[in-house]
Structures are given as structure tokens and as C-alpha cells.
Amino acid sequence: MQEDRKLAVLRAIVEDYVATEEPVGSKALVERHRLGVSPATVRNDMATLEDEGYITQPHTSAGRVPTDKGYRLFVDRLTTVKPMSPAEKRAISTFLDGAVDLDDVVSRSVRLLSQLTRQVAVVQYPTLSRSTVRHVELVALAPTRLLVVLILSSGRVEQRVVEVAVPLTDEVLADLRTVIGRAAAGQVIAEAVTALRDLESTDPTTTVIVDVLVDAMVDHRSDERIAVGGTANLARYGDHFDSAVRPLLEAIEEHVVLLKLLGEATEGGAVTVRIGAEGPYEELSSTSVVATGYGPHDEAVATLGIVGPTRMDYPGTMAAVRAVARYVSRLLDEA
Amino acid sequence: MQEDRKLAVLRAIVEDYVATEEPVGSKALVERHRLGVSPATVRNDMATLEDEGYITQPHTSAGRVPTDKGYRLFVDRLTTVKPMSPAEKRAISTFLDGAVDLDDVVSRSVRLLSQLTRQVAVVQYPTLSRSTVRHVELVALAPTRLLVVLILSSGRVEQRVVEVAVPLTDEVLADLRTVIGRAAAGQVIAEAVTALRDLESTDPTTTVIVDVLVDAMVDHRSDERIAVGGTANLARYGDHFDSAVRPLLEAIEEHVVLLKLLGEATEGGAVTVRIGAEGPYEELSSTSVVATGYGPHDEAVATLGIVGPTRMDYPGTMAAVRAVARYVSRLLDEA
DNA sequence: GCTTGGCACTCCGCAGACCCGAGTGCCAGC
DNA sequence: GCTGGCACTCGGGTCTGCGGAGTGCCAAGC
């Protein structure tokens, strides 16, 4: 038996199954793909593929369906990420170019991604920890009430209100601005935190402000912010409602779970594919995740991607995820 | 026939149908509710109720199901919003009290509301238009690049980056701050916009900054921000997937649609109920909306509520929506 | 004039029987 | 190693029959 024909058969099975959502049989295969051999031959190949664990039959005398292992091989060796068409590229840029701020970039990306892939899209907000402090602003709302605004290189803005014991004069405030600005501005979060902590003992007012700033910087809640879109695409899952859609909807609610699913931000533009039970959640054994890191200057500060059924168009999806990540990264370069 | 027994029958039908999700027949009805009459009598009442359009049968010789009109009557006349239990009240406060900023309040409310009602919860961010300008801050990011931060009384912060033609000195910046601050601070959005427009002709730099500020103030995108949660509850819809869940998922994607569904913010704590086809979207003819306005000082600046099947526990849901709205309003009072 | 028990009727939903077609595995021949 | 042939399996669709829940109506009773 020819090894490469066997792989061609696997590829054909995956493609057909993805397209039709039905177990694919030997006859249909030779008809749709010019394999140059008879159904019987294909059947032999299929038997081997099944022995090796790449495909299964839902029941005796039914067609074959790829297993997770089959998809894995398909993704790793049988497919190349197909480049986006010029039209698609244009769509991406027109869609994203109007964004006014970071929030807008994220929400547009999520919508774009879900439309391109027709899957549920997830975009993580650029993580605090890797960005630098661009500016800290103190605004007096009342004599003893202060608004602390933290502006980061990623475009993120965090704000907190602080009550201070002693009423603040304009001069004191100006001083505080300089002191804090000198300590934090331009630093990576981690460094800024250390520098600020050094100021803590100075006096009660400074201490309370520094506390809240540090708090805002290390706040986990912020690290976990994500945007989700395209949940309407879940409707296309058709049946498997309870087994597939319900756990996914639950995962979507739990942003922490989603973040874990997305996994680590990957450097260098590589798109990660996690297929079915490879992931950490057994309820999601029939969903795959296609994700990649993004961020300014090829430094992955966050992750974006899609979540969908294992039965999905991997080449197309991977292409879309990669293209959007690249475009968003370039947007962040400019900012 | 006694008019009030007829209504009791309707109430019983609604309650049973909501509880069991199955058409309710005359026999089961007299067994579960001490109506003091025989099934035959109930059948007569049911026939009248059906003539009057309050209930229907899915098919001949099946039990009865409330119509939209039936639910309407039930909500308007046959039920009172039942107060929350002390335990529930405590749950609400512990859940909401840890909120650090407006975003947090909104996201917590949405989660709380979806958990209390086991429905899809929607919370609109406090609308820009009714709030006042608390502060405008200008931050020089680079000599010709400026970050404009707009802080509103609702706690909302909008930020934009502006490029200016002429490099800015510290003095010019300070001047700009005072001029703009004087024009905008403390004003309602609408007034601030007019006041700012008056400044526009002063010089090119001011003009470009004012433009971006005005833009941020009237930006519709901001008016439309909402948070959605509890979509996992859609899984409980069971069947009716295509007819009920799909359009709802689509509506949830389209935030504009959701806003329209929520309707106008209502003053005075009244909870609005929109049942099935009463709403503007025919695809959502089997979903109801329970919503109410909320905001500081009894002034409704935004709306929150839930979206669910017409077949829902109205008294309980209305109670939860009202309780959460009240609590959130009180939170905003303090801020 | 309502209420009630009785009764015939309707119709859904389920279970069983059946058949068809798609697909397989295996084998003998090329 | 490929191919055609053949017997076998099994899911899914259709048809049928049946039981049960529920109705509508009627005549009798309070």
C-alpha cells in the first residue's frame, strides 16, 4: 500500500466530513476525489487508518469519521494555511481601520473574527503585565477624594477613586504627580510596582494612593478581561446540543476557563491548534481551539482565536486567525 | 360563571405551565390547585378563556397553554411582585459590594441577575447623554500627540488620542486645560458640547482637541454599550432550538437590537414586561423581556433586565430585576 | 342557571415491524 | 497490491396499532 495515498485518503475524509457533516464512505470518496483507485482499495486503506486510530465508524456499516488524532495529523502534515484572498484582506483592513481606541479594536476584532470563521471568537485584552506605564494622572474630584488614572502603553486605562484623610491643595497634588510620575512613568509594570512601593512610607496620603495604584497594576481581574463574539454561530451546531453547545456556553460565561483554553500567547505568529480532548476540559472534548498571540512589535502581549467544533475547516480558520492577529498587531505598533 | 374563578383558573394554568412546561389539562388542574369545583366546570371556564383569547390548545384534545394575552393579564392583574427573601437580599449585597469601578458594577450586576433569574441578563452602561462632565484631562504623550481623557459623573471614562500640528509646551497645555475645563466641567453633556463648540474657532490646536472631545461625547457607540451574561441559560430552552434560541443568540450579538428590546429606561422603579410578539421583532415572538431603569438619585440613566422565554416565572423574575436595579442605583448614589 | 358526572371522540406519542440503502469485510482473481 | 463481486450488518424512514390524556357535549341535579 502506498503511504502517501493513505494520507490522501485521510485528507479526503477530513475534507468531506467537514463539508458534509456526515460519515464518509469509500464510494463517495472516489467519486468526489480523483484518487485513481477503486472503492475496494480505499476500503483497505480505510481499514488501516482505522487500525492506526486516525478514523472511526460511528457504528458498523457506516462511513468513517476522523478522530482527534486524525484531525491532528491533518492539521500538522496534510494542510498548509492558505493565504487570504485580496478581497478578504481588504475586508479586514476596512473593518479594523476605523477603530478609535483599544476597546474598539478589541470589539471589532472579535466581530470580524467571528464573521470570517463563522465560529465563536475570543480576544483577550492586551495583558497588563507586559506593558509599560505611559502616564499616571491624579484628578481631584473633591478636596478629600481623588481619581487615579493609570494609562498603559497598550492603550489600557485603569481608574480608581481614593479617599484621603487630609484635604489636598493644588501644590501637594502637583508634587504627588511629579513624584509618582517619576517613579512609574515609562517602566514595565513590575518595575513600576517596585519603584512605587519604595515611596509608600513617605506619608499617609502618598501611601494610600500608591496602594491603589499598585492594586490596579496587579489586579488579576484586569488580566482576565476578554471579549467574546459570534455566539450566534453556536446555533449552527445543529444537534449535539447538550453534549457540545451547553458546555461551551458555560465555558464562555466563565472567562477564566476561556483564558485557559486560549492558552499561552505564542510568539512568532505561529497558530496553535488544540483539538478536542487535547484540551484541559473533558466536557469540551468535541470542540477545538485555534489561537495565536498578538501584540505590538512581534511581542505577544495577548491571545486571540476561535472556539469551534472539532469538525471545522482548519486551514481556513487558521488563515483567518493568523491574518487578524497580524493586522491587529500592526495596529498596535502604530499606537 | 364566577368571574374570579375564571381568573383563578387562568392563574393556575400559567403557574402550572411555567412549572411543568407541558400543556395543562382540567383534571390535573383541580388536583394541584384547590379550586373547589370539578374538572367539568374547569373545562367550561377553559372554553370561555379560550374564546376570549387567553389560552390555546396546541392541538385538539391536548391541554391548554397560555397565550401572550394570557400572560399579559397574569402579569398585569393576577400577580404581585413578591419581595425577595432576606437571604436573597444578602446575596445581592455581598455580590455587588466588592465592585471597584463602574465596569465592575456592570459586570457583576449582569452575572448576579443571570444567576438570580436563570435567564439571559442584559445591563446597559449608564448612558452618556444624561450624565455630567466631571473632568477633562489632557496628557502629553509626545510633543505633538495628546491623550484626551473625559471623565463623567456616571463614572465612565472615555479616552482619545489626538495629533496636533504644532508641538505643545507645558504652558500651552496648562492653558488649554483651564479653558476646556472651564467650558465643560460640571455641565450636562449637551451643554458641554455647546460650550465647547464656542471655543472651536480660537486656534487650530484647540479646534482639533475640541473636535475629538465633542466626538467622544456624542459618540453613539458609547451610548450603546451593554453587557450580556447568562447565555448558558439558553441551554435550558431544551427544544425550540431553531425557533427560539437561534434568533435570541443573533439578537444578543447585535447590541443595537438588544437595546431596542430593553426599551426606554423607566422612572420610578416600575418594571416593564414585554411579552412575546408585543416586541418589535417577530423572530423573538416567543421571548419576553423584563426590564427596568436604574441610576443614581432615582433618575433612570440606563436600563437593565433579562430576556427569556415567554414561559417564565414572571413574579420571581420581576422581583429579581427590581431588587438588583434598586441596589445598583443605590451604589451609584454613593459614587 | 350553574355545576356535575358520564360518555363518545380526537389525537398525540410510543413501540414494534418492516424495508431499503449505504457501507463494510472478505475473498478469489488478475 | 489492486479490483470486482458478494454476503452481511445496521441505521433510519415509514407504516401500523394502541393506550392515554384530554376535550366537548349532554342530561341530570342542586
Side-chain angles (χ1 to χ4, degrees):
Chain A
M1 178 194 310
Q2 292 170 306
E3 190 66 12
D4 45 350
R5 192 194 53 220
K6 202 180 71 183
L7 293 181
V9 168
L10 176 58
R11 174 197 274 123
I13 291 175
V14 172
E15 285 172 2
D16 273 23
Y17 182 61
V18 165
T20 64
E21 194 160 359
E22 271 170 12
V24 8
S26 53
K27 196 172 150 208
L29 254 194
V30 292
E31 276 168 9
R32 301 188 31 150
H33 305 260
R34 323 185 156 276
L35 293 174
V37 290
S38 79
T41 312
V42 172
R43 280 207 288 283
N44 290 331
D45 292 353
M46 284 168 128
T48 346
L49 283 171
E50 183 159 16
D51 284 347
E52 294 167 348
Y54 295 114
I55 54 180
T56 22
Q57 334 184 44
H59 53 84
T60 335
S61 88
R64 299 312 212 288
V65 165
T67 60
D68 287 0
K69 192 177 169 193
Y71 284 122
R72 177 88 273 160
L73 185 62
F74 176 79
V75 167
D76 289 347
R77 301 206 17 224
L78 300 179
T79 191
T80 46
V81 181
K82 59 185 166 199
M84 303 240 93
S85 73
E88 285 170 315
K89 282 187 180 161
R90 228 174 309 121
I92 294 178
S93 42
T94 51
F95 202 98
L96 289 180
D97 275 343
V100 298
D101 61 13
L102 182 74
D103 275 10
D104 205 17
V105 170
V106 169
S107 75
R108 278 166 191 252
S109 309
V110 114
R111 234 176 313 153
L112 173 62
L113 205 49
S114 65
Q115 280 174 23
L116 284 176
T117 61
R118 317 219 334 143
Q119 308 284 2
V120 177
V122 184
V123 177
Q124 181 186 12
Y125 279 74
T127 354
L128 277 179
S129 47
R130 305 213 198 163
S131 39
T132 59
V133 176
R134 192 183 262 169
H135 188 81
V136 175
E137 187 58 49
L138 308 177
V139 181
L141 301 173
T144 63
R145 186 177 273 183
L146 205 59
L147 181 76
V148 182
V149 183
L150 170 66
I151 299 159
L152 299 170
S153 60
S154 62
R156 273 277 278 288
V157 177
E158 291 281 321
Q159 8 118 17
R160 299 295 154 86
V161 176
V162 200
E163 298 283 345
V164 292
V166 199
L168 293 164
T169 62
D170 281 357
E171 297 87 58
V172 175
L173 204 55
D175 277 358
L176 277 171
R177 274 203 198 94
T178 353
V179 173
I180 290 178
R182 202 172 295 149
Q187 313 268 28
V188 171
I189 294 283
E191 293 165 5
V193 168
T194 351
L196 284 172
R197 286 243 166 85
D198 287 347
L199 296 177
E200 271 198 319
S201 45
T202 332
D203 72 300
T205 313
T206 319
T207 311
V208 73
I209 297 174
V210 164
D211 275 354
V212 87
L213 257 177
V214 169
D215 179 58
M217 286 177 180
V218 301
D219 190 351
H220 275 109
R221 195 180 58 85
S222 321
D223 255 15
E224 288 161 1
R225 277 189 68 197
I226 55 177
V228 180
T231 37
N233 291 320
L234 288 177
R236 292 187 304 108
Y237 272 48
D239 51 351
H240 327 298
F241 188 84
D242 263 27
S243 65
V245 179
R246 181 198 301 273
L248 193 44
L249 274 172
E250 275 160 13
I252 288 168
E253 288 289 306
E254 272 308 318
H255 287 184
V256 190
V257 171
L258 266 191
L259 275 170
K260 207 164 166 189
L261 263 187
L262 276 189
E264 293 304 306
T266 335
E267 311 279 333
V271 175
T272 310
V273 180
R274 189 177 290 177
I275 296 166
E278 293 172 8
Y281 300 98
E282 51 181 319
E283 303 88 359
L284 298 176
S285 61
S286 55
T287 59
S288 287
V289 178
V290 178
T292 190
Y294 75 94
H297 315 301
D298 289 329
E299 178 202 9
V301 297
T303 309
L304 60 76
I306 65 94
V307 181
T310 43
R311 189 192 65 68
M312 75 162 81
D313 168 22
Y314 288 97
T317 308
M318 290 167 76
V321 167
R322 193 178 62 178
V324 171
R326 281 190 183 161
Y327 204 92
V328 173
S329 296
R330 221 175 313 145
L331 274 186
L332 295 181
D333 276 355
E334 296 164 10
Chain B
M1 178 193 311
Q2 292 170 305
E3 190 66 12
D4 44 350
R5 192 195 54 220
K6 203 179 72 184
L7 293 181
V9 169
L10 177 58
R11 175 198 274 122
I13 291 175
V14 171
E15 285 173 359
D16 274 23
Y17 182 61
V18 164
T20 64
E21 196 162 358
E22 270 171 12
V24 8
S26 52
K27 196 173 148 207
L29 212 53
V30 291
E31 277 167 8
R32 300 189 29 150
H33 305 259
R34 323 185 156 276
L35 292 174
V37 290
S38 79
T41 313
V42 172
R43 281 208 286 283
N44 290 331
D45 292 352
M46 283 168 126
T48 345
L49 283 170
E50 181 158 19
D51 283 347
E52 295 168 348
Y54 294 115
I55 53 179
T56 23
Q57 336 184 45
H59 53 85
T60 334
S61 87
R64 302 307 214 288
V65 165
T67 60
D68 287 0
K69 193 179 169 192
Y71 284 121
R72 176 89 274 158
L73 185 62
F74 176 79
V75 168
D76 288 349
R77 301 203 21 223
L78 300 178
T79 190
T80 46
V81 181
K82 57 184 168 200
M84 304 239 90
S85 74
E88 284 170 316
K89 282 186 180 161
R90 226 174 311 122
I92 294 178
S93 42
T94 50
F95 203 99
L96 289 181
D97 275 343
V100 298
D101 61 12
L102 183 73
D103 275 11
D104 204 18
V105 170
V106 169
S107 75
R108 277 165 190 254
S109 309
V110 114
R111 234 176 313 154
L112 173 63
L113 205 50
S114 66
Q115 279 174 22
L116 284 175
T117 61
R118 318 218 335 144
Q119 307 283 2
V120 176
V122 185
V123 177
Q124 181 187 12
Y125 280 72
T127 354
L128 276 179
S129 47
R130 305 212 197 163
S131 40
T132 58
V133 176
R134 191 181 263 169
H135 187 81
V136 175
E137 188 56 50
L138 307 177
V139 180
L141 301 175
T144 63
R145 183 178 274 182
L146 204 59
L147 181 77
V148 182
V149 183
L150 169 66
I151 300 159
L152 299 169
S153 60
S154 61
R156 275 277 280 285
V157 176
E158 292 281 321
Q159 8 118 16
R160 298 295 154 86
V161 176
V162 200
E163 297 283 345
V164 292
V166 200
L168 293 165
T169 62
D170 280 358
E171 297 85 59
V172 174
L173 203 55
D175 276 359
L176 276 170
R177 273 203 198 95
T178 358
V179 173
I180 290 179
R182 202 172 294 149
Q187 313 267 29
V188 170
I189 293 284
E191 294 165 4
V193 167
T194 350
L196 284 171
R197 285 246 165 83
D198 287 347
L199 295 176
E200 269 199 321
S201 44
T202 332
D203 72 301
T205 312
T206 319
T207 311
V208 72
I209 297 174
V210 164
D211 274 355
V212 86
L213 257 177
V214 168
D215 178 57
M217 287 177 179
V218 301
D219 190 351
H220 274 108
R221 193 180 60 84
S222 320
D223 254 15
E224 290 161 358
R225 276 189 69 197
I226 56 179
V228 181
T231 37
N233 290 320
L234 288 177
R236 290 188 304 108
Y237 273 46
D239 51 352
H240 328 298
F241 187 85
D242 263 27
S243 64
V245 179
R246 183 199 299 274
L248 193 45
L249 274 172
E250 275 160 13
I252 288 169
E253 287 291 305
E254 273 307 319
H255 288 182
V256 191
V257 171
L258 265 192
L259 275 169
K260 208 165 167 188
L261 264 186
L262 276 190
E264 294 302 306
T266 335
E267 311 278 333
V271 175
T272 310
V273 179
R274 189 177 288 177
I275 295 165
E278 292 173 9
Y281 301 98
E282 51 182 318
E283 302 88 358
L284 298 176
S285 61
S286 56
T287 58
S288 287
V289 179
V290 177
T292 190
Y294 75 94
H297 314 301
D298 288 330
E299 177 201 10
V301 298
T303 310
L304 61 76
I306 64 94
V307 182
T310 42
R311 189 192 65 69
M312 75 162 82
D313 168 23
Y314 289 97
T317 308
M318 290 167 75
V321 167
R322 191 179 63 179
V324 172
R326 281 190 185 162
Y327 204 92
V328 173
S329 296
R330 219 174 316 144
L331 274 187
L332 295 180
D333 276 356
E334 295 164 11

